[in-house]
Amino acid sequence: MASSPFLSKTTISFSSSISTSLPWRSSHSSPSFSTAFRTKPRRRTLTVQSKIREIFMPALSSTMTEGKIVSWVKSEGDVLSKGESVVVVESDKADMDVETFYDGILAAIVVGEGETAPVGAAIGLLAETEEEVAEAKAKAKSASSDSPASSSPAAEAVTPTPPPATSTPAPAIAQPSPPATYTPKKTLAKQHKVDIASVVGSGPFGRITPADVEAAAGIAQPKKTVAAEPTPVSAAPPKPSAAPSASSAPLLPGSTVVPFTTMQAAVSKNMLESLSVPTFRVGYPISTDALDALYEKVKPKGVTMTALLAKAAALALAQHPVVNASCKDGKSFTYNSSINIAVAVAINGGLITPVLQDADKLDLYLLSQKWKELVEKARAKQLQPHEYSSGTFTLSNLGMFGVDRFDAILPPGQGAIMAVGASKPTVVADADGFFSVKSKMLVNVTADHRIVYGADLAAFLKTFAKIVENPESLTL
């Protein structure tokens, strides 16, 4: 459970200033003057504290932007004690209990089960006494009633009214008439026998314009037609909306639209981010006869093939730290101090990568026990953030499904990911030309080419193959 509190106290402060007027008098010798001079404006601050606290949607991981309420452990009106679980929240990777850090009464549930809320938003209200429960419910009701009102203008903004037909010209933009020959105002006054001294100017700063002279002569001015809105001769029918894009194409009959779950949305976001990383891939065939023999010996003790491969990868990474490095800003990279092997696990409705932390330092049996615990927590969606977001290298194994080769997508923030195929009997020839059948598996590694180069990856795979083909070091 995260250590930062998710409940914050709401404080409402009111302040008022009360000052006493200073009666000035002309005589400084008056005794009342000294009294008035010593009197200073007094500022009173009245503070009213509300004991209603908001339960916020917590940030359960560094990538979480919103959370979904799986279930409320407590109901409205229940008395809560500090440290009790109040609600179960689904993050992008796991379901986690959110505890209360205060004693009080769960006065109102703002976000119901199955609904989502952004990180930091209020999902419930906690009152300290029975008298404040009604106030908290009224506050929750007003907040919920304000939500639709605030969303309606946004909805209107999303679907603006289509513009009118273009057959009607814009009234403010009229075609200019042919330019008239300019006649000086004095010439006009002489022609029309107007005393220019008696003309009142309408131009800037009272300047007399030719139009003023013509008006004084009684010549009617033509009406401007700029503001006139001509009647369209034939109103064109409204243009049809643009052709729908591929994403908004009509569905096939019987199709069903299924929205992403929180986990699927997180996976989608990570996959899109990985497209911005320049990657390359290197494949390497490895003989697995010795590894298969070791697995048969340690399998009764609870050791899995995943644990063996994770241990072998960790030992190889210890000799090639650049493959365990990471680049996050595109300007520098980091040599990670720990070797944390993330292993891809398919769960109902998504994919998660539990992390075997310090895999190079744990012995094989402890590593297998740790892996079993992580898988159980992953299936129950109870992994803590550090148990799925601290990987420095990822291992994806589809060999158990009979897949002989595949490429894996590099997770954001990591330097490499290894895709392990199935071990299958393969006919091979030795240096003397003799044929034999050996079990081989093909591993493909996808790496960030900004920090890992081809020679680095080839050397790492050679070390990894040597460890797998001579696995005695895995049990040390």
Side-chain angles (χ1 to χ4, degrees), residues 101-156:
F101 286 84
Y102 301 94
D103 297 333
I105 302 170
L106 183 58
I109 294 176
V110 179
V111 181
E113 295 182 358
E115 299 178 359
T116 59
V119 171
I123 59 176
L125 297 178
L126 188 69
E128 192 169 281
T129 62
E130 290 283 354
E131 292 75 12
E132 294 159 347
V133 173
E135 180 186 350
K137 289 184 176 181
K139 181 179 178 182
K141 186 177 180 180
S142 63
S144 60
S145 62
D146 291 343
S147 297
S150 61
S151 61
S152 57
E156 294 176 2

Side-chain angles (χ1 to χ4, degrees), residues 409-457:
I409 299 177
L410 181 67
Q414 294 187 16
I417 179 173
M418 177 184 288
V420 180
S423 177
K424 293 184 177 182
T426 306
V427 177
V428 296
D430 59 16
D432 298 326
F434 292 99
F435 292 93
S436 61
V437 177
K438 293 185 178 182
S439 296
K440 281 187 173 289
M441 70 176 181
L442 183 65
V443 297
N444 289 339
V445 178
T446 303
D448 185 345
H449 211 329
R450 296 173 300 179
I451 55 176
V452 182
Y453 302 141
D456 300 324
L457 207 52

Side-chain angles (χ1 to χ4, degrees), residues 38-55:
R38 289 193 301 267
T39 303
K40 296 182 179 179
R42 292 176 296 171
R43 182 179 180 88
R44 298 178 183 176
T45 301
L46 306 178
T47 302
V48 180
Q49 290 187 340
S50 172
K51 299 299 180 64
I52 300 173
R53 298 183 173 95
E54 292 180 333
I55 304 176

Side-chain angles (χ1 to χ4, degrees), residues 271-279 450:
M271 295 301 98
L272 290 175
E273 287 182 6
S274 66
L275 293 177
S276 62
V277 178
T279 59
R450 296 173 300 179

Side-chain angles (χ1 to χ4, degrees), residues 183-244:
T183 305
K185 56 192 177 184
K186 290 184 179 181
T187 304
L188 282 174
K190 187 176 182 180
Q191 288 176 357
H192 298 295
K193 298 180 180 181
V194 175
D195 185 8
I196 196 168
S198 63
V199 178
V200 178
S202 63
F205 305 101
R207 183 177 300 171
I208 298 174
T209 65
D212 298 330
V213 176
E214 292 177 349
I219 301 174
Q221 298 293 323
K223 294 183 179 180
K224 295 181 180 181
T225 58
V226 175
E229 187 171 333
T231 304
V233 178
S234 59
K239 290 185 178 180
S241 58

Side-chain angles (χ1 to χ4, degrees), residues 83-358:
E84 273 191 294
S85 295
V86 182
V87 61
V88 179
V89 173
E90 177 187 9
S91 70
D92 51 1
K93 294 294 184 180
D95 295 347
M96 299 186 66
D97 292 341
V98 177
E99 301 175 353
T100 174
F101 286 84
Y102 301 94
D103 297 333
I105 302 170
L106 183 58
I109 294 176
V110 179
V111 181
E113 295 182 358
E115 299 178 359
T116 59
V119 171
I123 59 176
L125 297 178
L126 188 69
E128 192 169 281
T129 62
E130 290 283 354
E131 292 75 12
E132 294 159 347
V133 173
E135 180 186 350
K137 289 184 176 181
K139 181 179 178 182
K141 186 177 180 180
S142 63
S144 60
S145 62
D146 291 343
S147 297
S150 61
S151 61
S152 57
E156 294 176 2
V158 173
T159 58
T161 305
T166 58
S167 60
T168 302
I173 305 174
Q175 292 294 333
S177 58
T181 305
Y182 176 74
T183 305
K185 56 192 177 184
K186 290 184 179 181
T187 304
L188 282 174
K190 187 176 182 180
Q191 288 176 357
H192 298 295
K193 298 180 180 181
V194 175
D195 185 8
I196 196 168
S198 63
V199 178
V200 178
S202 63
F205 305 101
R207 183 177 300 171
I208 298 174
T209 65
D212 298 330
V213 176
E214 292 177 349
I219 301 174
Q221 298 293 323
K223 294 183 179 180
K224 295 181 180 181
T225 58
V226 175
E229 187 171 333
T231 304
V233 178
S234 59
K239 290 185 178 180
S241 58
S245 61
S247 60
S248 60
L251 298 176
L252 296 176
S255 301
T256 304
V257 177
V258 180
F260 276 166
T261 63
T262 308
M263 180 178 293
Q264 289 171 333
V267 173
S268 175
K269 178 176 177 291
N270 289 338
M271 295 301 98
L272 290 175
E273 287 182 6
S274 66
L275 293 177
S276 62
V277 178
T279 59
F280 72 105
R281 296 163 180 84
V282 175
Y284 204 99
I286 302 174
S287 299
T288 61
D289 291 316
L291 184 67
D292 293 338
L294 175 62
Y295 176 61
E296 292 300 325
K297 293 180 180 179
V298 297
K299 184 178 179 180
K301 300 179 181 180
V303 178
T304 63
M305 180 60 73
T306 299
L308 285 169
L309 294 174
K311 180 68 174 180
L315 294 178
L317 289 171
Q319 301 182 42
H320 304 274
V322 70
V323 184
N324 192 55
S326 59
C327 175
K328 297 182 180 180
D329 57 1
K331 300 178 181 179
S332 61
F333 67 97
T334 304
Y335 282 103
N336 294 301
S337 58
S338 300
I339 298 177
N340 300 334
I341 306 296
V343 184
V345 175
I347 62 175
N348 186 21
L351 175 74
I352 197 168
T353 52
V355 178
L356 289 165
Q357 297 182 354
D358 296 320

